[in-house]
Amino acid sequence: MVSTANSDSNSMKQIVLQIPTFIHVYNDGTVERLRNMPRVPPSLNDPATAVSSKDIVFSINPLLAARLYLPKLNATDQKLPILVYFHGGALCGESAFAAHHHEYCNLVASQANVIIVSVEHRKAPEHYLPAAYDDCWAGLKWAASHANANAIQNNRIISEPWLINHGDFSKVFIGSDSSGGNIVHNVAMRAGVESLPNGVKLHGAYMNHPYFCGSKPIGSEPIEGFEQTLPYMAWGVVYPDAPGGIDNPMVNPMAPGAPSLANLGCFKMFISVAGDDQIIRDRAVLYYEAVKASGWKGQVQLFEEKGEQHVYYMFHPHTDKGKRLIKHVAHFLTQ
């Protein structure tokens, strides 16, 4: 499932596990993440968007952090929708504090006029799944706990004034891209069977180019070498003991015996795909069709940008196509 390789036989340090061009794990336990973007600090009144951001710790055990974003307010008592954002990175890389996620959150917070809680979840292989799912669920629960300021104090929950003073808890969203979209699916499914604090309901969920996979190739996925594709190999790194392997419902929601998508715990969904994203697109479209056919009572929308590759808008947000996708996300969050 997962590619392994050795370096020079005379070298003490050897690669014992890898996703080529993405991550190397060495025999001394060190991990090299080849695609990680530089991290940037938060900022007060971002010069391009006027969005303010700050880093907080929302859990001590396990130790979990997030970056919060607050757009420019029109009034001191203004209430804003809340987006809990789960960054992408194949569940084994990147960061909520990375430059491209920071810029993206600034743009979305500004255009949609929402508070964003961008969760820094734990990553494989140091922390196998379901750790990231649990961390992101914890981040959503922590945000929802602010719907009752008295309960925060009584339960000794780490409090955040931006959420207490400006959060509209009738409009709580989750969203992300790529592997973060996979997290969105799993958190939305959990919200269908577990209650959030203070009776908060998940209003909506969006997934840009969500990561799903399965044991058999579909659509444009390659028949030859399918098990060497990034989506297939990544699952072996991030959840090597997953029940059912690559057909675990967490990565293959359409697998036989998977929980019904009618249980999704939100009222509306937005899913986007890129036309030239050969290893992700068809699974996301299949997921969209499965949600529509499931009996789920919410509303789901699919948007496709032709002639583009995976998460193009994250690295080129100021192109016409990048702007268009972000505009779609902002529109979804304001309805």
Side-chain angles (χ1 to χ4, degrees):
M1 288 176 60
V2 179
S3 176
T4 59
N6 290 329
S7 58
D8 191 312
S9 59
N10 295 324
S11 173
M12 294 292 291
K13 191 170 183 176
Q14 297 180 330
I15 298 172
V16 295
L17 186 70
Q18 69 172 318
I19 305 173
T21 79
F22 203 91
I23 188 171
H24 293 165
V25 182
Y26 293 91
N27 57 347
D28 63 358
T30 58
V31 179
E32 182 182 16
R33 292 176 167 89
L34 305 175
R35 297 191 190 180
N36 272 8
M37 296 283 284
R39 297 190 180 198
V40 295
S43 57
L44 184 64
N45 296 320
D46 173 68
T49 63
V51 172
S52 293
S53 55
K54 63 180 176 181
D55 295 341
I56 58 96
V57 171
F58 68 87
S59 170
I60 302 301
N61 186 21
L63 184 63
L64 299 174
R67 178 162 292 178
L68 272 61
Y69 296 82
L70 182 70
K72 187 176 181 179
L73 299 170
N74 296 322
T76 56
D77 59 350
Q78 185 176 2
K79 297 293 186 178
L80 304 173
I82 300 164
L83 167 63
V84 183
Y85 177 76
F86 313 131
H87 71 81
L91 298 161
C92 59
E94 298 189 20
S95 168
F97 313 126
H100 60 318
H101 290 292
H102 181 70
E103 181 177 23
Y104 172 81
C105 286
N106 273 326
L107 291 169
V108 171
S110 173
Q111 294 184 31
N113 212 28
V114 296
I115 299 172
I116 299 180
V117 178
S118 181
V119 177
E120 176 72 347
H121 60 74
R122 290 173 292 174
K123 299 164 186 70
E126 296 91 340
H127 303 281
Y128 293 127
L129 290 179
Y133 297 144
D134 291 339
D135 295 349
C136 292
W137 176 254
L140 176 60
K141 285 183 65 178
W142 173 78
S145 70
H146 289 75
N148 185 332
N150 292 330
I152 286 180
Q153 185 174 15
N154 294 338
N155 295 319
R156 298 182 179 180
I157 297 170
I158 299 171
S159 63
E160 172 45 54
W162 286 0
L163 291 171
I164 294 173
N165 297 332
H166 302 295
D168 177 357
F169 292 91
S170 69
K171 293 288 183 69
V172 175
F173 296 84
I174 55 175
S176 188
D177 60 274
S178 194
S179 66
N182 174 279
I183 297 175
V184 168
H185 160 74
N186 283 287
V187 170
M189 289 295 289
R190 189 165 177 175
V193 296
E194 278 187 51
S195 297
L196 291 168
N198 305 311
V200 170
K201 302 296 183 182
L202 190 57
H203 188 67
Y206 79 82
M207 309 175 191
N208 292 326
H209 312 177
Y211 162 52
F212 298 117
C213 197
S215 57
K216 303 296 182 183
I218 67 166
S220 61
E221 295 173 350
I223 297 174
E224 294 294 328
F226 176 62
E227 295 184 1
Q228 281 70 53
T229 61
L230 175 59
Y232 197 107
M233 288 195 295
W235 191 249
V237 170
V238 302
Y239 202 175
D241 296 326
I246 196 69
D247 283 324
N248 183 284
M250 291 180 171
V251 72
N252 186 0
M254 289 73 72
S260 172
L261 295 174
N263 296 327
L264 284 162
C266 57
F267 301 113
K268 64 175 188 172
M269 297 182 72
F270 172 81
I271 302 166
S272 75
V273 296
D276 290 349
D277 189 356
Q278 294 185 348
I279 61 172
I280 291 291
R281 179 201 176 275
D282 292 346
R283 294 277 174 181
V285 174
L286 182 65
Y287 176 82
Y288 163 75
E289 297 291 349
V291 170
K292 287 201 303 180
S294 69
W296 178 62
K297 302 302 183 183
Q299 296 180 334
V300 58
Q301 175 188 358
L302 178 69
F303 168 75
E304 178 168 8
E305 187 68 75
K306 299 290 188 180
E308 281 293 345
Q309 298 288 342
H310 190 60
V311 296
Y312 59 92
Y313 59 92
M314 292 297 296
F315 301 101
H316 305 288
H318 301 293
T319 63
D320 288 344
K321 291 181 178 180
K323 289 177 181 178
R324 180 160 51 234
L325 191 281
I326 292 173
K327 185 177 180 179
H328 274 286
V329 169
H331 179 76
F332 176 77
L333 297 173
T334 55
Q335 301 304 302

